[in-house]
Amino acid sequence: MEKITSTSNAKVQEIKKLLNSKKDRYLLQKFVAEGVNIVKDIPNKYIDSLFMTVETFEKYKNITDKCSNIYLVANKVIEGISDTKSPSGVVAVCNMPVCDDINDNKCIVLDNLSDPGNAGTIIRTAVACGITTIYCYGECVDLYSPKVVRSSMGGIFFVNVKKLQSKSDLNSELFVLDMAGENLYAMQNIPKNFALLVGNESRGVSKEMREGADRIISLPMSKNMESLNAGVSLSIALYHLVNN
């Protein structure tokens, strides 16, 4: 088992690239996941290597069974490859997942979504609802960025992330969430398959996706509240659609 004590180590420098560069993540088809609870839930086949402090290694022996490439690192090293203020002592370099259960007929579309927290919430909800495909349209936040991975609480390992070029690439009716749409709870004959879209937090739905929508839907609200957070809105709508 190799020990790393220097922040200038080549492997440490590669992790820093994966943390900070979307280009490098997609070039290498790898990304970083951090935290004891998240690492515990990662399917073993997606873990390329683990970087652990001695304290974490001794405390969480069950994690060490997940991967054969384990590096014991100094505290200053783990701090250098951590994206959090209080590092948990374990960082995993992971291969971008390709999930076996691919169902493009029931999916989510992120239309220029920019907030990592919203993206992570949506991924978690998608997995909870059995959705395995998430499309990104336009300039979306990178779903393999550290903040999204962390917010997804490991959900990123159970979805397929795809780039959407146009509405014609979808196999199902496109439902667009918008405050001016029809009441979701009044809809009749909800199809089994659908693509549910949420737009950018500040700009809303793009012109192209709005024009391509089969139905524009909204969540009913009291007069005291005009709108909901993008992640919350999609989560509520998704639970309703998959259970009706």
Side-chain angles (χ1 to χ4, degrees):
M1 189 179 302
E2 183 178 339
K3 294 184 178 180
I4 300 176
T5 59
S6 173
T7 55
S8 61
N9 179 278
K11 294 186 180 298
V12 172
Q13 293 304 309
E14 181 177 294
I15 294 176
K16 289 184 177 181
K17 288 182 179 180
L18 294 176
L19 284 172
N20 299 316
S21 171
K22 176 181 177 179
K23 178 180 178 181
D24 283 310
R25 287 192 286 269
Y26 283 86
L27 179 65
L28 298 173
Q29 288 292 292
K30 297 181 187 298
F31 64 103
V32 175
E34 179 183 352
V36 172
N37 291 331
I38 291 178
V39 173
K40 281 181 180 178
D41 294 336
I42 300 173
N44 294 5
K45 61 183 177 179
Y46 295 133
I47 300 180
D48 176 84
S49 51
L50 287 173
F51 296 77
M52 307 176 71
T53 61
V54 173
E55 294 81 4
T56 304
F57 180 82
E58 293 176 347
K59 185 176 181 179
Y60 299 100
K61 291 291 186 181
N62 56 330
I63 292 180
T64 63
D65 295 332
K66 299 182 73 68
C67 176
S68 58
N69 296 324
I70 299 178
Y71 301 88
L72 293 182
V73 302
N75 288 336
K76 65 178 181 179
V77 173
I78 208 75
E79 290 171 2
I81 58 176
S82 172
D83 189 59
T84 62
K85 293 182 179 179
S86 301
S88 66
V90 58
V91 169
V93 174
C94 306
N95 300 308
M96 288 187 177
V98 178
C99 302
D100 298 328
D101 183 15
I102 299 177
N103 179 9
D104 291 347
N105 295 321
K106 188 180 290 184
C107 61
I108 287 170
V109 180
L110 307 182
D111 179 0
N112 291 282
L113 197 78
S114 62
D115 183 77
N118 278 331
T121 295
I122 289 168
I123 292 169
R124 291 175 69 181
T125 304
V127 175
C129 291
I131 303 296
T132 58
T133 299
I134 296 181
Y135 284 99
C136 294
Y137 178 77
E139 297 299 322
C140 283
V141 60
D142 179 20
L143 301 194
Y144 295 109
S145 67
K147 290 182 180 179
V148 176
V149 172
R150 190 163 60 252
S151 296
S152 80
M153 290 301 294
I156 189 65
F157 293 96
F158 301 97
V159 294
N160 297 288
V161 178
K162 298 184 177 183
K163 183 73 174 177
L164 183 67
Q165 300 298 332
S166 69
K167 191 261 185 180
S168 62
D169 295 334
L170 298 172
N171 298 322
S172 308
E173 288 187 42
L174 177 61
F175 290 173
V176 169
L177 273 171
D178 185 85
M179 291 183 293
E182 62 178 302
N183 186 336
L184 170 64
Y185 296 102
M187 287 174 57
Q188 301 293 320
N189 302 317
I190 296 176
K192 180 179 180 181
N193 297 317
F194 56 83
L196 178 61
L197 180 147
V198 65
N200 178 269
E201 292 84 353
S202 59
R203 301 189 303 274
V205 180
S206 65
K207 179 182 178 181
E208 311 87 75
M209 289 294 106
R210 183 185 297 278
E211 291 177 348
D214 293 292
R215 301 182 82 163
I216 297 178
I217 60 178
S218 66
L219 300 175
M221 299 182 206
S222 75
K223 61 182 180 180
N224 297 318
M225 187 58 59
E226 181 179 300
S227 64
L228 289 173
N229 168 284
V232 172
S233 297
L234 185 135
S235 297
I236 293 171
L238 184 60
Y239 266 100
H240 181 76
L241 290 173
V242 299
N243 288 290
N244 284 276

